[in-house]
C-alpha cells in the first residue's frame, strides 16, 4: 500500500506557487500586520491619521508583495508611501490649468499667513469673547474691522458663508414680499446650474425684469419703481460678456430712484486693479452710490470661501440681525483666514495675477531643459491663462507652459502628487501662472514620476 508524505516530514514536496506568483518562502517573509504596526514610522502615522487608513495601507502593501510586485522587504516603506497626507479625503493638487481661480480645485489658494491663522484658530479662541471684560463680544470683530479698513467707503461690513448667501440674505431682509428690479441682461446662471432668478425668488421676493438682453437704460428702471420695490439689483455678468449694440445703466445713474441699489460684483475685487480695468470693485461701486455691495471672498480677494456684504451702516446692521443671518454665519476658521488675507502679505492669487510673462517663460525654459535632459518629450511654450471663478470674463493673461504628450494628463492627475493641466491641440499643457515658483521642483518630480505611466498609455 502506497504511503503518502505527511506534511512536515522529511522528503515532503515543497508547496508549489502558481506561475507568476512569489514562492511560498517569499510569502512567508511578508511581515505580519501586527509586526508592521509596531514599526515606529507606522505607529506615528496611526497617531496622526488614525488606525483605519494605516491598516488599509498596510494591507495594500502586503497584497502587492503577495502578488510579486514588490519584495517583502519593501512592504513597510510601500505602506508609508500609500498613506494619505491627512485624515481628510481631500487631496492637495498642483493647479497647472492656467485658470487662476478654478472652481473645481477650490478657487483661491490661501496665503501662508492665512494658513497659519487657521491653524492657530483651530483650538479655543476669543471669537465671541472680550478677554478684558470677560463678557460676550461681537463675533469676528477684528476680521470685520480689517474688511472695513480695506474698503473705507463702506459704512459697515458683514460676512456670511458664500457669495450666493450674501445675495440671499439681502433679498430676504430687504425685499421679501416685494419686488427686485433687475435687467434682463443680468439674469445670469452661476456655477453648477444655479440660476440667479431661482435663487432670488426662493427668498419670497418677486422679480421685475426691465430692458432687453443687450440694452437696458436708466429710464427702464425708473418706469417700474413703486411702493412694492424692495431694491434695484445690478449683477456682474460673471463668466460671459455681451458685445456689440449694448447699453447698461451705471450705478450712479440709478441712485436717485428712491430705493436702495444693491450691486453683486461677484469676484470680490475690493479696489481697482491695473491688470483688470473692466472688473467692478467694491470701493468704486460704493462711492458711486451703491447702498450695498455683495461679493465672494474666495475669488480675486484670494481668501477663504465666504460672502462679503459692504455698504450703508443701517442696511448692514439690519441684515446682520435678521434671523437668516444665524444660519449663514461663518465659523472661526473662515474668520481667521479672511482677516489674515486682508491684513497679510500678497495672496497667491495676487502674485499669480501680476506675474510677468518673461519670468514665467524663464521658469518654463528651466523646467523643460531639466526634464528634457532626462529624456522626456517636453518643451516650453507660450500660453494664455484666465482668471476663472466668474472674474474678468474675456480677459486672457499671457503665460508660459510645459508641453507634454497627451497621455501625461491622466498620468499626472492620478500621481502621488496630483497635477491638473489642460489638453490643447493634442498635447498636455502645464501652465505655470497659477503654480507658485516654490512648487516648480515638485512639479518637475511629478512629471518624472508620471513618465512610465504616460509612456505605457501612448
Amino acid at each position: 500500500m502506497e504511503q503518502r508524505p505527511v506534511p512536515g516530514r522529511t522528503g515532503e514536496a515543497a508547496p508549489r506557487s502558481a506561475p507568476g506568483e512569489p514562492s511560498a518562502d517569499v510569502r512567508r517573509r511578508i511581515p505580519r500586520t501586527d509586526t508592521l504596526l509596531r514599526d515606529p514610522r507606522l505607529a506615528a502615522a496611526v497617531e496622526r491619521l488614525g488606525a483605519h487608513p494605516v491598516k488599509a495601507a498596510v494591507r495594500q502593501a502586503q497584497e502587492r508583495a503577495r502578488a510579486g510586485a514588490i519584495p517583502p522587504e519593501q512592504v513597510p516603506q510601500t505602506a508609508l508611501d500609500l498613506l494619505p497626507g491627512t485624515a481628510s479625503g481631500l487631496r492637495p493638487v498642483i493647479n497647472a490649468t492656467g485658470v487662476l481661480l478654478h472652481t473645481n480645485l477650490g478657487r483661491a489658494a490661501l496665503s501662508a499667513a492665512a494658513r497659519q491663522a487657521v491653524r492657530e484658530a483651530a483650538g479655543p479662541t476669543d471669537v465671541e469673547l472680550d478677554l478684558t471684560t470677560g463678557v460676550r463680544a461681537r463675533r469676528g470683530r477684528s476680521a470685520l474691522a480689517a474688511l472695513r479698513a480695506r474698503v473705507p467707503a463702506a459704512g459697515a461690513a458683514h460676512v456670511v458663508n458664500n457669495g450666493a448667501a450674501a445675495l440671499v440674505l439681502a433679498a430676504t431682509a430687504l425685499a421679501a414680499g416685494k419686488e427686485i428690479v433687475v435687467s434682463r441682461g443680468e439674469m445670469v446662471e452661476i456655477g453648477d446650474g444655479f440660476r440667479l432668478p431661482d435663487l432670488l425668488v426662493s427668498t419670497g421676493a418677486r422679480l421685475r425684469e426691465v430692458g432687453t438682453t443687450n440694452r437696458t437704460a436708466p429710464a427702464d428702471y425708473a418706469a417700474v419703481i413703486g411702493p412694492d420695490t424692495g431694491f434695484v439689483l445690478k449683477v456682474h455678468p460673471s463668466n460671459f460678456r455681451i458685445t456689440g449694440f449694448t447699453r447698461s445703466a451705471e450705478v450712479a445713474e440709478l441712485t436717485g430712484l428712491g430705493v436702495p441699489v444693491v450691486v453683486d460684483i461677484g469676484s470680490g475685487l475690493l479696489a481697482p486693479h491695473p491688470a483688470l480695468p473692466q472688473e467692478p470693485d467694491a470701493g468704486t461701486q460704493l462711492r458711486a452710490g451703491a447702498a450695498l455691495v455683495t461679493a465672494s471672498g474666495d475669488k480675486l480677494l484670494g481668501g477663504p470661501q465666504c460672502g462679503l456684504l459692504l455698504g450703508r451702516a443701517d442696511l448692514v446692521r439690519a441684515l446682520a440681525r435678521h434671523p437668516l443671518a444665524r444660519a449663514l454665519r461663518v465659523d472661526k476658521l473662515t474668520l481667521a483666514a479672511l482677516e489674515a488675507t486682508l491684513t497679510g502679505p500678497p495672496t497667491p492669487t495676487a502674485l499669480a495675477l501680476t506675474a510677468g510673462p518673461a519670468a514665467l517663460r524663464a521658469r518654463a525654459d528651466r523646467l523643460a531643459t531639466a526634464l528634457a535632459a532626462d529624456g522626456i518629450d517636453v518643451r516650453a511654450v507660450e500660453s494664455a491663462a484666465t482668471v476663472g471663478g466668474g472674474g474678468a470674463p474675456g480677459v486672457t493673461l499671457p503665460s508660459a507652459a510645459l508641453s507634454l504628450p497627451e497621455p501625461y494628463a491622466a498620468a499626472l492627475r492620478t500621481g502621488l502628487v496630483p497635477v491638473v493641466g489642460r489638453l490643447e491641440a493634442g498635447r498636455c499643457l502645464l501652465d505655470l501662472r497659477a503654480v507658485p515658483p516654490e512648487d516648480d521642483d515638485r512639479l518637475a518630480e511629478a512629471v518624472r514620476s508620471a513618465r512610465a505611466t504616460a509612456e505605457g498609455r501612448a
Side-chain angles (χ1 to χ4, degrees):
M1 180 174 168
E2 180 183 359
Q3 291 185 341
R4 296 181 179 178
V6 178
R9 290 184 179 175
T10 303
E12 176 187 4
R16 294 184 178 181
S17 301
E21 290 185 359
S23 67
D25 177 64
V26 170
R27 292 198 298 272
R28 282 195 294 267
R29 287 166 37 217
I30 296 173
R32 290 163 47 97
T33 299
D34 56 351
T35 301
L36 288 165
L37 293 177
R38 286 196 295 270
D39 183 303
R41 299 168 298 173
L42 290 168
V46 171
E47 293 294 321
R48 181 170 57 90
L49 301 172
H52 179 74
V54 177
K55 288 181 178 179
V58 164
R59 286 193 292 270
Q60 289 182 58
Q62 290 170 326
E63 287 302 318
R64 290 188 182 185
R66 292 187 186 104
I70 59 172
E73 294 76 20
Q74 285 188 11
V75 169
Q77 185 59 52
T78 299
L80 288 166
D81 293 341
L82 290 169
L83 289 174
T86 69
S88 165
L90 295 175
R91 296 186 63 189
V93 306
I94 294 178
N95 176 14
T97 62
V99 180
L100 273 58
L101 302 169
H102 200 299
T103 298
N104 300 141
L105 301 181
R107 294 184 179 160
L110 294 181
S111 66
R115 297 183 192 195
Q116 178 62 30
V118 169
R119 285 192 290 270
E120 294 293 333
T125 70
D126 60 344
V127 64
E128 285 188 27
L129 178 67
D130 185 324
L131 295 176
T132 301
T133 63
V135 300
R136 186 170 187 157
R138 186 182 182 189
R139 184 181 184 86
R141 56 203 177 278
S142 58
L144 295 175
L147 186 55
R148 283 280 317 282
R150 286 285 299 272
V151 190
H158 186 63
V159 181
V160 291
N161 56 11
N162 63 28
L167 193 54
V168 162
L169 180 58
T172 304
L174 304 179
K178 296 185 176 183
E179 289 183 345
I180 297 174
V181 180
V182 60
S183 168
R184 285 187 174 88
E186 297 174 5
M187 304 282 277
V188 300
E189 179 178 301
I190 57 179
D192 200 25
F194 288 97
R195 294 181 172 177
L196 182 67
D198 298 337
L199 191 71
L200 294 172
V201 169
S202 72
T203 69
R206 303 186 304 275
L207 295 186
R208 185 68 178 266
E209 303 175 32
V210 297
T212 63
T213 302
N214 61 319
R215 291 180 67 83
T216 305
D220 295 317
Y221 293 90
V224 301
I225 298 297
D228 285 340
T229 304
F231 60 83
V232 167
L233 176 63
K234 287 284 296 175
V235 181
H236 179 47
S238 189
N239 54 5
F240 76 94
R241 177 169 291 173
I242 300 174
T243 60
F245 186 58
T246 64
R247 170 73 160 96
S248 63
E250 300 297 329
V251 170
E253 298 177 294
L254 303 175
T255 55
L257 298 177
V259 295
V261 177
V262 177
V263 183
D264 177 21
I265 63 170
S267 64
L269 199 61
L270 300 185
H273 196 290
L276 306 170
Q278 302 302 315
E279 188 72 8
D281 66 274
T284 298
Q285 301 303 313
L286 289 169
R287 288 190 296 272
L292 188 69
V293 169
T294 65
S296 294
D298 57 346
K299 296 182 181 179
L300 287 173
L301 179 59
Q305 177 181 296
C306 59
L308 312 178
L309 294 128
L310 299 147
R312 273 174 31 194
D314 60 328
L315 292 184
V316 174
R317 280 196 296 267
L319 269 58
R321 296 307 304 168
H322 192 278
L324 182 60
R326 173 76 179 195
L328 303 178
R329 79 177 188 178
V330 293
D331 71 337
K332 61 182 180 178
L333 303 183
T334 301
L335 290 168
L338 175 62
E339 183 176 356
T341 298
L342 292 164
T343 63
T347 65
T349 299
L351 295 173
L353 193 59
T354 57
L360 292 169
R361 182 58 191 247
R363 289 171 56 196
D365 287 338
R366 183 182 67 82
L367 287 168
T369 299
L371 292 170
D374 293 333
I376 295 173
D377 175 9
V378 59
R379 57 182 181 269
V381 298
E382 293 182 354
S383 179
T386 59
V387 172
V395 175
T396 58
L397 304 168
S399 189
L402 298 179
S403 175
L404 295 154
E406 183 174 343
Y408 271 87
L412 285 164
R413 281 198 317 272
T414 56
L416 191 60
V417 177
V419 178
V420 184
R422 72 175 187 267
L423 292 176
E424 192 171 292
R427 299 280 290 184
C428 170
L429 296 191
L430 304 181
D431 192 296
L432 297 182
R433 184 169 278 276
V435 179
E438 57 268 25
D439 279 350
D440 281 359
D441 290 342
R442 292 176 65 228
L443 178 63
E445 189 55 40
V447 172
R448 293 187 182 99
S449 298
R451 178 181 181 180
T453 302
E455 291 179 353
R457 296 177 178 177

